[in-house]
C-alpha cells in the first residue's frame, strides 16, 4: 500500500513537471546535445553531417579570427565586469540613503535596462559621432585637442562599447545590490559605530561581508552575460572597424548564419560554453573558500 | 490496468495523432486538377513585385493558383535556409543575393531550369549567366539591377556645374563632386553609402581581373578605388563615412531630401524615389540618372557597372506534378508580359527588349531624356561578387577591410594585406 502511494505521488509530481520539461527538452536540451554532436562534423545545413573528428578544433587553433574574437571577448569581460560591479555598488550605496527624491533616481537609473537596445545603439552612436556628436563637441569645448573617434576608431571602439554596456547594465545590478543592502541588520552598524568604527571601516567590515551572497551572484551573472555579449555589439559597431570589436558570439553567428558553416560554428560555441563553465567554477571555488 | 485508464491513454494517443497529422500539409491527391504554386517573397507591403507577378500569371493561367509566402527581408536567407532544410520552403523561391546562390545550388536545393531560359529573350539569357554552373542554369532572372549615377538637376544648376553627359571617368566624377560641395544647401558634393559594395562592387566589375583576383584572395586591385573614396571624403567632396555610420544616414534621405547633388546607387532606387516623391517622403525636384563613372574612355560606349540579377529558382523538393506549372511561372516572369508589368512600376527587368524599355520610360515622373534611355539600354552589368562556395567568407573579410579603411583605422595597403592574410587563414592558399 505504502509503495503504491509513493508511486502515485511520484507520478503526480512528474505530471506537474512534465509540460515544462517537455518544452525544455524540445527547445533547449535537444538542440544543446545536437550542438555537441555537430561540433565534430562539417554540417552546412543541407544534407548529411559528416563526422570529421577533431578537425574543427584543429582548425580553431590556427584560426586568427577566432583568437581575435576570443581576445576581444576577454577584453570586454575583463573591463566591463569590474567597472559595472564597482559602479553599481556605489550607486546602490548612494541610493540607499534617505536622500530627497531617491525613488525617482532609482527609477531613472533602472531605465536604460528596459530601453530597446536598438534605440540605445542609435542614440549613443549619434552622441559618439566623431565630427558632429555632442561628446566630442563637449570635449572640444573643454579644450581637449584631437578627441577620439569612438565607434569609428579601431582603438576606441571597444571602450565605447564598454561605456554603453556599463551604462545599460548599471541600473539592474544596482537593484540587486539595493536588495542585498536591505538584508544587512541595522544593529550591526550601530554596534560598529559604538565600537568606534568610521564610515570606511563600517563599509569594509559590515557592508561588504553582508553583501557577499549578492556580490557572488552579481559577479557570476555579469561574467556569463559579458562573455556572451552579442546584441549590443551587433547593433553598435557590428564588430568593426575591422575586427576591433568582433566577439565570440558574433563570430559564431558569422560562421553559422552568414557562411553556413554550422559544424565549425558549433565548435566555437562549445569553446565559449567551456569558457563560461570554467570561469563560473573558479568563481564558485573562490567563493566557497572565502565563506569557509 | 483498469478500463478507465486504458480509455484515457487511448484518447491521448488519438489527440496526439490528430495533432501530428494536422502539422503535415501534404498534397491533396488529385493528379490532373488545379495546381497551387507557392512562391517566396519579402516585405510584400513595400515590394509589390511578387504579388504583381503572381496575379498576372494567374490571369493567363486560370488552372494555377499562386500563393506568395512572405519572408523578412533582412533575414531572408537565414529563414529560407531553415525552411529548405526543414522541407517547408515554397515551390519557387527568389535568390535575393547573388552572394548566396552558390549555397543553394551547391547544397542541391535548386532544380535545373535550362529548358526555361532557352526560350527567353537574349537579354535574359545574358543576365542568367551567373546562375549557370557547368552549362546548366539553376535560376531565371526577372529583374537585373545595376548601379547608376543619380543627379539632382536643380542642385547642379544652382552650383553652375555641367551635368553628366555619359562621358564621365572617375576623375571627372571626383572633380565635379569637389565643385558641387559648394552648392547652396549641400552637405557634400556626393554621397557614397556605407556598404562595402559601394566601393568594392565597382572595382570587382571594372578592373580587368577583378573577379579572378577576388576569388584568388589578391585584393590589391581595390586600392585605387579606396584611395579615391578616402580622398573624396578628406576633401569634404563626399559625406564622411564616420558621420554616415554613427548617424545612421540613409541614402534615400541624403539624395531624396537634396542634401547631396549626386549619388551612386542601384537601379532599385528609381522606383523608391518615384514613390517617395509621390508620398512626400522625398522632395520634388528634377533629377536624372547617368552611367556609373568609368576607369577611362575605352568603355564609354557600353559603360560597365556592377549589380546583379534577382532570379527565381525551383525548389528541388517540389512535387513532380507542380514542376510544369513552376517552369511556366518562371517563363512568365522573365517573358515580355511579366517584364512589362515590372517595368510599369519602375523596376528594371532583366528583359530589356524594346517593348519593355518603352513601358519603363512611360512611367510618370521617370526621367526620359536620351542619357537616361541609353543608360538603361547600353548598361553592361557585371556581378557584384563572383559566384563561388567561398564567396560568403571572402565577403565577410572584405567587409572588415572596408570598415577599417573607411573609418581611417587602417591605411589602404595594410588593410588589404590583412584581408589577404585572413583569406589564407580562412580558405588556404
Amino acid at each position: 500500500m505504502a509503495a503504491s502511494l509513493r508511486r502515485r505521488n511520484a507520478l503526480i509530481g512528474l505530471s506537474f513537471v512534465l509540460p515544462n520539461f517537455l518544452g525544455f527538452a524540445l527547445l533547449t536540451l535537444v538542440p544543446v546535445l545536437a550542438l555537441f554532436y555537430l561540433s565534430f562534423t562539417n554540417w552546412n545545413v543541407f544534407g548529411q553531417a559528416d563526422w570529421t573528428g577533431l578537425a574543427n578544433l584543429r582548425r580553431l587553433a590556427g584560426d586568427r579570427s577566432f583568437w581575435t574574437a576570443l581576445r576581444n571577448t576577454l577584453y570586454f569581460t575583463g573591463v566591463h565586469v569590474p567597472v559595472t560591479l564597482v559602479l553599481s555598488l556605489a550607486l546602490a550605496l548612494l541610493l540607499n540613503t534617505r536622500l530627497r527624491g531617491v525613488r525617482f533616481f532609482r527609477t531613472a537609473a533602472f531605465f536604460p535596462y528596459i530601453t530597446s537596445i536598438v534605440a540605445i545603439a542609435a542614440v549613443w552612436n549619434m552622441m559618439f559621432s566623431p565630427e558632429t556628436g555632442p561628446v566630442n563637441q563637449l570635449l572640444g569645448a573643454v579644450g581637449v585637442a584631437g578627441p577620439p573617434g569612438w565607434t569609428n576608431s579601431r582603438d576606441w571602439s571597444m571602450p565605447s562599447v564598454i561605456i554603453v554596456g556599463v551604462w545599460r547594465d548599471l541600473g539592474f545590478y544596482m537593484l540587486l545590490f539595493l536588495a542585498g543592502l536591505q538584508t544587512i541588520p541595522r544593529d550591526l552598524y550601530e554596534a560598529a559605530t559604538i565600537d568606534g568604527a568610521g564610515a570606511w571601516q563600517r563599509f569594509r567590515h559590515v557592508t561588504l561581508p553582508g553583501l557577499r551572497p549578492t556580490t557572488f551572484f552579481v559577479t557570476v551573472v555579469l561574467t556569463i552575460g559579458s562573455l556572451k555579449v552579442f546584441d549590443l555589439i551587433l547593433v553598435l559597431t557590428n564588430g568593426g572597424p575591422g575586427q576591433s570589436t568582433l566577439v565570440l558570439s558574433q563570430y559564431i553567428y558569422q560562421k553559422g548564419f552568414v557562411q553556413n558553416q554550422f559544424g565549425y560554428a558549433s565548435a566555437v560555441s562549445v569553446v565559449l560554453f567551456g569558457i563560461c563553465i570554467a570561469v563560473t567554477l573558479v568563481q564558485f571555488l573562490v567563493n566557497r573558500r572565502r565563506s569557509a | 490496468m483498469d478500463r478507465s485508464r486504458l480509455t484515457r491513454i487511448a484518447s491521448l494517443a488519438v489527440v496526439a495523432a490528430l495533432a501530428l497529422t494536422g502539422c503535415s500539409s501534404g498534397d491533396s491527391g488529385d493528379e490532373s486538377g488545379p495546381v497551387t504554386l507557392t512562391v517566396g517573397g519579402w516585405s510584400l507591403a513595400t515590394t509589390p513585385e511578387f504579388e504583381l507577378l503572381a496575379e498576372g500569371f494567374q490571369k493567363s493561367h486560370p488552372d494555377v493558383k499562386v500563393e506568395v509566402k512572405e519572408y523578412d527581408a533582412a533575414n531572408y536567407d537565414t529563414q529560407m535556409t531553415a525552411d529548405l532544410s526543414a522541407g517547408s520552403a515554397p515551390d519557387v523561391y527568389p535568390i535575393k543575393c547573388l552572394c548566396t546562390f552558390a549555397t543553394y545550388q551547391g547544397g542541391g536545393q535548386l532544380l535545373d531550369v535550362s529548358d526555361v531560359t532557352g526560350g527567353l529573350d537574349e537579354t535574359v539569357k545574358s543576365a542568367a549567366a551567373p546562375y549557370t554552373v557547368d552549362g546548366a542554369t539553376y535560376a531565371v532572372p526577372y529583374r537585373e539591377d545595376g548601379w547608376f549615377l543619380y543627379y539632382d538637376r536643380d542642385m547642379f544648376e544652382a552650383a553652375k556645374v555641367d551635368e553628366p553627359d555619359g562621358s564621365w571617368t572617375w576623375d571627372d566624377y571626383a572633380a565635379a563632386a569637389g565643385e558641387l560641395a559648394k552648392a547652396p544647401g549641400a552637405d557634400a558634393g556626393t554621397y557614397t553609402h556605407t556598404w562595402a559594395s559601394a566601393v568594392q562592387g565597382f572595382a570587382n566589375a571594372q578592373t580587368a581581373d577583378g573577379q579572378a583576383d577576388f576569388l584568388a584572395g589578391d585584393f590589391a586591385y581595390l586600392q585605387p578605388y579606396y584611395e579615391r573614396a578616402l580622398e573624396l571624403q578628406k576633401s569634404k567632396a563626399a559625406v564622411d563615412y564616420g558621420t554616415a555610420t554613427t548617424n545612421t544616414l540613409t541614402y534615400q534621405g541624403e539624395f531624396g531630401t537634396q542634401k547631396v547633388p549626386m549619388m551612386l546607387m542601384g537601379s532599385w532606387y528609381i522606383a523608391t524615389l518615384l514613390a517617395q516623391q509621390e508620398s512626400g517622403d522625398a522632395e520634388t525636384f528634377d533629377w536624372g540618372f547617368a552611367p556609373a563613372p568609368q576607369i577611362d574612355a575605352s568603355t564609354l560606349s557600353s559603360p560597365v557597372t556592377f549589380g546583379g540579377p534577382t532570379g527565381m529558382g525551383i525548389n528541388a523538393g517540389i512535387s513532380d506534378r507542380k514542376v510544369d506549372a513552376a517552369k511556366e511561372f518562371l517563363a512568365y516572369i522573365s517573358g515580355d508580359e511579366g517584364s512589362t508589368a515590372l517595368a510599369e512600376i519602375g523596376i528594371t527587368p532583366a528583359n530589356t527588349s524594346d517593348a519593355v524599355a518603352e513601358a519603363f520610360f512611360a512611367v510618370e515622373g521617370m526621367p526620359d531624356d536620351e542619357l537616361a534611355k541609353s543608360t538603361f539600354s547600353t548598361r553592361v552589368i557585371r556581378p557584384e561578387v563572383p559566384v563561388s562556395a567561398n564567396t560568403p567568407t571572402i565577403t565577410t573579410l572584405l567587409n572588415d577591410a572596408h570598415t577599417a579603411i573607411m573609418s581611417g583605422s587602417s591605411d589602404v595597403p595594410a588593410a588589404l594585406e590583412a584581408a589577404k592574410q585572413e583569406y589564407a587563414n580562412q580558405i588556404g592558399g
Side-chain angles (χ1 to χ4, degrees), chain A residues 43 45-46 59 62-65 122 125-126 128-132 151-154 238 240-243 251 253-255 257-261, chain B residues 75 78 81 84-85 103-104 107 109 236 240-243 245-248 392-393 396 399-401 403-404 407 409-410 418 421-422 425-426:
Chain A
W43 193 51
V45 160
F46 303 125
R59 185 176 150 197
D63 181 350
R64 288 191 323 169
S65 291
N125 244 333
M126 273 186 204
F128 279 142
S129 187
E131 287 186 19
T132 54
T151 50
N152 197 42
S153 135
R154 188 149 60 177
N238 196 17
Q243 292 189 330
Y251 193 57
Y253 175 80
Q254 247 178 31
K255 283 289 156 195
F257 294 99
V258 178
Q259 302 174 7
N260 271 20
Q261 303 176 18
Chain B
N75 297 299
T78 311
T81 304
L84 283 167
S85 169
T103 311
Y104 297 118
Q109 303 299 315
K236 311 269 182 207
D240 181 63
Y241 174 83
T243 305
T245 50
T246 52
N247 294 294
T248 337
T393 308
T396 308
N399 195 48
D400 288 342
T403 57
S407 67
S409 297
S410 176
Q421 284 174 16
E422 192 52 32
N425 171 33
Q426 300 270 348

Side-chain angles (χ1 to χ4, degrees), chain B residues 88-388:
Chain B
S88 58
D91 302 315
V92 174
Y93 61 96
I95 311 295
K96 190 165 184 276
C97 173
L98 203 51
C99 52
T100 51
F101 167 72
T103 311
Y104 297 118
Q105 194 275 327
Q109 303 299 315
L110 287 168
L111 224 56
D112 178 351
V113 290
S114 309
D115 50 340
V116 178
T117 38
L120 294 169
D121 193 84
E122 284 305 318
T123 52
V124 182
K125 281 185 200 163
S126 72
Y131 294 138
T132 306
V133 180
D134 297 331
T137 307
Y138 290 90
V140 176
Y142 62 95
R143 63 183 291 173
E144 189 181 33
D145 288 284
W147 280 52
F148 299 145
L149 177 67
Y150 294 82
Y151 60 99
D152 182 327
R153 290 219 161 98
D154 296 350
M155 289 179 89
F156 265 75
E157 201 181 301
K160 299 197 168 43
V161 176
D162 290 337
E163 287 179 11
D165 55 3
S167 73
W168 277 15
T169 62
W170 285 104
D171 291 337
D172 299 324
Y173 164 77
E179 285 181 57
L180 287 162
K182 297 169 210 129
D187 282 356
T190 187
Y191 179 71
T192 307
H193 198 50
T194 54
W195 302 327
S197 60
V199 179
Q200 294 173 6
F202 289 110
N204 291 348
Q206 295 179 341
T207 316
D209 295 322
Q211 310 263 323
D213 286 350
F214 176 94
L215 290 176
D218 191 3
F219 304 124
Y221 71 96
L222 296 168
Q223 190 166 337
Y225 285 82
Y226 271 114
E227 277 166 356
R228 188 179 311 111
L230 288 178
E231 187 51 43
L232 281 171
Q233 77 175 28
K234 201 172 132 202
S235 64
K236 311 269 182 207
V239 176
D240 181 63
Y241 174 83
T243 305
T245 50
T246 52
N247 294 294
T248 337
L249 296 186
T250 63
Y251 62 85
Q252 297 94 333
E254 287 303 290
F255 189 77
T257 59
Q258 297 196 284
K259 292 192 173 117
V260 289
M262 282 198 296
M263 178 174 78
L264 288 159
M265 188 43 66
S267 49
W268 59 80
Y269 181 56
I270 295 173
T272 310
L273 182 55
L274 289 175
Q276 290 193 331
Q277 286 195 324
E278 176 88 32
S279 70
D281 289 331
E283 280 157 34
T284 310
F285 55 90
D286 195 10
W287 58 280
F289 59 92
Q294 302 294 302
I295 300 182
D296 53 41
S298 66
T299 49
L300 288 177
S301 57
S302 41
V304 178
T305 189
F306 81 92
T310 309
M312 291 210 194
I314 302 178
N315 184 347
I318 191 175
S319 85
D320 287 343
R321 65 190 201 90
K322 289 184 179 179
V323 173
D324 288 342
K327 286 187 173 173
E328 278 171 36
F329 181 71
L330 293 189
Y332 167 81
I333 61 173
S334 308
D336 277 352
E337 213 184 318
S339 303
T340 306
L342 290 173
E344 280 167 356
I345 56 168
I347 284 173
T348 48
N351 181 338
T352 53
S353 62
D354 293 344
V356 177
E358 201 177 311
F360 184 77
F361 285 103
V363 175
E364 202 186 323
M366 183 75 74
D368 59 354
D369 54 298
E370 283 313 308
L371 182 60
K373 284 182 177 164
S374 75
T375 304
F376 180 80
S377 56
T378 61
R379 63 193 169 143
V380 173
I381 299 179
R382 300 233 169 94
E384 175 179 337
V385 287
V387 172
S388 139

Side-chain angles (χ1 to χ4, degrees), chain A residues 111-252:
Chain A
F111 235 77
Y113 194 74
I114 50 167
T115 307
S116 151
I117 185 77
V118 177
I120 289 179
V123 172
W124 273 97
N125 244 333
M126 273 186 204
M127 304 220 305
F128 279 142
S129 187
E131 287 186 19
T132 54
V135 174
N136 276 2
Q137 285 185 348
L138 194 75
L139 287 177
V142 297
V144 177
W150 302 112
T151 50
N152 197 42
S153 135
R154 188 149 60 177
D155 299 327
W156 283 92
S157 53
M158 190 55 100
S160 313
V161 170
I162 292 173
I163 289 172
V164 182
V166 170
W167 176 82
R168 183 185 64 156
D169 292 344
L170 210 54
F172 178 67
Y173 294 104
M174 171 209 72
L175 208 65
L176 295 181
F177 275 123
L178 268 177
L181 285 172
Q182 312 290 326
T183 64
I184 305 174
R186 288 255 148 241
D187 38 347
L188 283 183
Y189 286 105
E190 284 164 19
T193 314
I194 291 166
D195 287 344
W200 169 249
Q201 281 175 314
R202 284 200 300 273
F203 171 71
R204 183 147 161 35
H205 297 291
V206 181
T207 311
L208 273 188
L211 276 180
R212 181 169 296 141
T214 314
T215 316
F216 175 64
F217 176 74
V218 166
T219 316
V220 170
V221 172
L222 193 55
T223 311
I224 295 178
S226 304
L227 284 171
K228 42 178 228 185
V229 58
F230 177 64
D231 51 357
L232 180 70
I233 286 186
L234 191 76
V235 289
L236 201 62
T237 62
N238 196 17
Q243 292 189 330
S244 59
T245 50
L246 179 74
V247 286
L248 280 179
S249 303
Q250 202 188 356
Y251 193 57
I252 293 166

